[in-house]
């Protein structure tokens, strides 16, 4: 015989002692686990007298179901309590002031490089690069500027060794040599990059930026060069009326050579590029000298090319009205905040010219 009354008392006692979900689990297994009292009682039914067995079984079932109900209720109760206490302790204070999102700005030099890349890519130029540390041969000799040539002195070169064999490139032109040694014509590249000269004032810094252009193919002439530069300058300054002129000049690596001026006027003590009757020099250019082609093993009776070099920082100063070049490289965050560009201005800032 199983003492059902005693079992009921035990259940009541145990249930009243529950204070947590852990107690609850323990009580559950105490009665209903593998060796739990109710489980064992069911097993023992076999030894109960047949006449009593049915009644006992049904009573046991009632007790068991009642216990399961009460345990479930208690479980719900404790889980709700737990959720409420979590909600209280993890409360979000939505009245707290928000944290400011500080967005970086694009440096005007990077902005202008993006604009130039976009403008030149539209007429088939791709971007090439070369190292800042160059050898004397690529920077001068291969560019038809032999030793003792006066142009070498004009460059105020930073040499990196006593023998003057390694240097910080004084212009982006050595990338012409590197590219022509590696590739066969047609070659159509622009080369944006850092360049170095020992010089410093309002409009010069020891490190500055240039953009080189080179187009080598069959039947390239000075007219192609002029058309390309006109397209570039009008689009860059976003002014279809911009005037430009080529002035004869000299560079060792081009023949003939020219310097390019663009029109401007002074308005409210500021330079405004475009209309106007004054001239401002912006770049050097010319037809690639046959000696340069010879140095890179390109047959100058079959191929010709034009080249140009322009100061990127100077373009940025002119377009965006920045007067002191040195401020570009001082790393002052307030300056960048003022003159910098939002990241979504790149490259959509360049919208092209209306025809
Ligand atoms: N490398 C020249 C300089 O730094 C600029 C230049 C002039 C580049 C004429 C060229 C060119 O490619 O054809 O002053």
């Amino acid at each position: 015989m199983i003492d059902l009354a005693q079992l009921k008392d035990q259940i009541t006692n145990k249930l009243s002692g529950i204070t947590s979900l852990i107690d609850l689990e323990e009580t559950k297994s105490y009665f209903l686990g593998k060796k739990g009292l109710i489980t064992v009682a069911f097993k023992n039914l076999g030894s109960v007298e047949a006449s009593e067995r049915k009644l006992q079984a049904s009573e046991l079932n009632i007790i068991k179901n009642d216990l399961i109900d009460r345990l479930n209720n208690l479980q719900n109760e404790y889980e709700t309590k737990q959720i409420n206490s979590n909600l209280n302790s993890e409360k979000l204070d939505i009245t707290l002031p928000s944290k400011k999102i500080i967005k970086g700005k694009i440096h005007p030099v990077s902005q202008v490089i993006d604009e130039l890349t976009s403008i030149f890519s539209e007429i088939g130029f791709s971007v090439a690069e070369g190292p800042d540390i160059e050898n004397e041969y690529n920077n001068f000799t291969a560019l038809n500027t032999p030793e003792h040539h006066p142009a070498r002195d004009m460059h105020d070169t930073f040499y990196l060794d006593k023998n003057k064999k390694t240097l910080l490139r004084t212009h982006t032109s050595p990338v012409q040599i590197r590219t022509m040694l590696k590739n066969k014509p047609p070659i159509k590249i622009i080369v944006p990059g850092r360049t170095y000269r020992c010089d410093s004032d309002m409009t010069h810094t020891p490190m500055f930026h240039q953009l080189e252009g080179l187009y080598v193919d069959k039947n390239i002439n000075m007219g192609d060069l002029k058309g390309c530069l006109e397209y570039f300058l009008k689009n860059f300054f976003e002014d279809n009326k911009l005037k430009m002129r080529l002035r004869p000049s000299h560079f060792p690596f081009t023949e003939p050579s020219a310097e390019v001026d663009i029109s401007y006027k002074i308005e409210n003590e500021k330079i405004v590029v475009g209309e106007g009757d004054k001239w401002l020099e912006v770049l050097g250019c010319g037809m690639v000298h046959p000696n340069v082609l010879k140095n890179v093993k390109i047959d100058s009776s079959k191929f010709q090319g034009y080249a140009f070099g322009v100061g990127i920082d100077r373009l940025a100063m002119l377009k965006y009205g920045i007067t002191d070049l040195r401020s570009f490289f001082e790393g002052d965050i307030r300056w960048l905040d003022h003159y910098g560009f939002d990241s979504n201005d790149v490259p959509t800032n360049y919208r092209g010219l209306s025809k």
Side-chain angles (χ1 to χ4, degrees):
M1 272 289 279
I2 302 156
D3 190 341
L4 293 176
Q6 196 192 348
L7 181 62
K8 277 186 190 168
D9 281 348
Q10 276 176 305
I11 290 178
T12 312
N13 263 342
K14 269 277 189 191
L15 287 177
S16 64
I18 291 178
T19 58
S20 67
L21 278 167
I22 298 171
D23 294 346
L24 194 133
E25 280 305 315
E26 196 265 325
T27 307
K28 206 189 252 179
S29 84
Y30 184 79
F31 291 106
L32 303 167
K34 255 189 179 169
K35 288 181 182 156
L37 290 188
I38 293 181
T39 318
V40 173
F42 270 110
K43 277 186 194 156
N44 289 345
L45 276 178
S47 57
V48 173
E49 242 175 75
S51 56
E52 278 286 320
R53 196 180 299 149
K54 211 173 168 192
L55 190 67
Q56 286 242 343
S58 120
E59 290 244 353
L60 253 183
N61 261 325
I62 293 171
I63 293 172
K64 182 186 168 185
N65 290 337
D66 181 54
L67 173 63
I68 291 175
D69 281 350
R70 285 159 80 182
L71 285 172
N72 281 345
N73 287 342
L74 273 176
Q75 182 154 355
N76 282 342
E77 209 175 283
Y78 278 107
E79 280 174 355
T80 311
K81 259 191 203 161
Q82 184 72 50
I83 289 171
N84 286 337
S85 102
N86 284 355
L87 280 176
N88 277 332
S89 60
E90 294 168 11
K91 207 157 84 184
L92 276 181
D93 184 355
I94 54 167
T95 63
L96 275 174
S98 58
K99 274 190 188 159
K100 228 176 136 187
I101 295 172
I102 301 169
K103 253 177 102 182
K105 291 267 188 155
I106 310 268
H107 195 284
V109 171
S110 305
Q111 168 75 14
V112 166
I113 291 176
D114 280 335
E115 290 175 16
L116 293 172
T117 307
S118 163
I119 290 170
F120 279 103
S121 70
E122 279 184 34
I123 52 168
F125 283 84
S126 50
V127 176
E129 281 180 317
D132 292 11
I133 295 174
E134 250 309 351
N135 56 53
E136 166 281 326
Y137 179 79
N138 286 343
N139 197 83
F140 291 123
T141 310
L143 286 163
N144 199 33
T145 317
E147 225 174 311
H148 308 304
H149 192 289
R152 288 207 184 196
D153 303 330
M154 282 159 55
H155 276 209
D156 302 312
T157 312
F158 286 114
Y159 286 100
L160 299 177
D161 63 346
K162 279 201 198 97
N163 299 328
K164 296 190 171 182
K165 289 287 171 214
T166 319
L167 46 81
L168 291 174
R169 66 178 178 190
T170 57
H171 49 179
T172 40
S173 306
V175 187
Q176 286 191 28
I177 302 301
R178 286 177 176 271
T179 309
M180 289 190 286
L181 282 174
K182 255 198 258 154
N183 303 284
K184 287 194 164 50
I187 291 169
K188 202 172 184 183
I189 52 155
I190 49 164
V191 185
R194 281 188 286 267
T195 46
Y196 305 84
R197 286 181 207 179
C198 187
D199 208 352
S200 182
D201 59 36
M202 274 264 286
T203 53
H204 296 89
T205 48
M207 190 279 299
F208 58 106
H209 297 83
Q210 283 191 344
L211 181 105
E212 192 81 10
L214 175 72
Y215 185 17
V216 183
D217 204 346
K218 284 176 181 155
N219 302 318
I220 300 292
N221 61 45
M222 202 85 181
D224 298 317
L225 169 62
K226 197 177 170 193
C228 167
L229 294 177
E230 203 170 293
Y231 158 83
F232 143 51
L233 291 167
K234 282 183 171 177
N235 276 277
F236 178 73
F237 288 107
E238 295 173 38
D239 186 350
N240 230 340
K241 294 205 190 95
L242 178 135
K243 282 179 287 174
M244 99 178 197
R245 71 176 183 192
L246 265 66
R247 214 171 2 87
S249 184
H250 171 79
F251 298 102
F253 31 89
T254 42
E255 183 58 38
S257 305
E259 274 169 315
V260 175
D261 301 334
I262 54 173
S263 51
Y264 78 99
K265 63 182 172 192
I266 301 280
E267 222 171 57
N268 302 327
E269 291 172 25
K270 278 197 169 155
I271 292 184
V272 181
V273 170
E275 282 160 80
D277 51 10
K278 294 184 190 308
W279 293 103
L280 191 70
E281 182 197 318
V282 284
L283 63 89
C285 63
M287 300 305 294
V288 179
H289 197 292
N291 287 351
V292 175
L293 294 175
K294 198 166 93 195
N295 290 337
V296 293
K297 311 219 160 31
I298 290 178
D299 184 349
S300 61
S301 68
K302 284 197 187 125
F303 294 99
Q304 302 77 42
Y306 65 67
F308 54 88
V310 55
I312 292 174
D313 319 278
R314 194 162 151 72
L315 288 181
M317 289 170 81
L318 287 171
K319 183 164 174 178
Y320 296 113
I322 311 169
T323 45
D324 191 342
L325 176 63
R326 289 169 299 194
S327 63
F328 275 59
F329 311 118
E330 277 165 1
D332 187 335
I333 211 85
R334 293 162 303 177
W335 182 90
L336 192 58
D337 211 36
H338 180 78
Y339 286 109
F341 293 81
D342 286 335
S343 52
N344 35 5
D345 283 348
V346 180
T348 42
N349 188 52
Y350 165 66
R351 280 173 226 97
L353 280 178
S354 48
K355 300 270 149 41

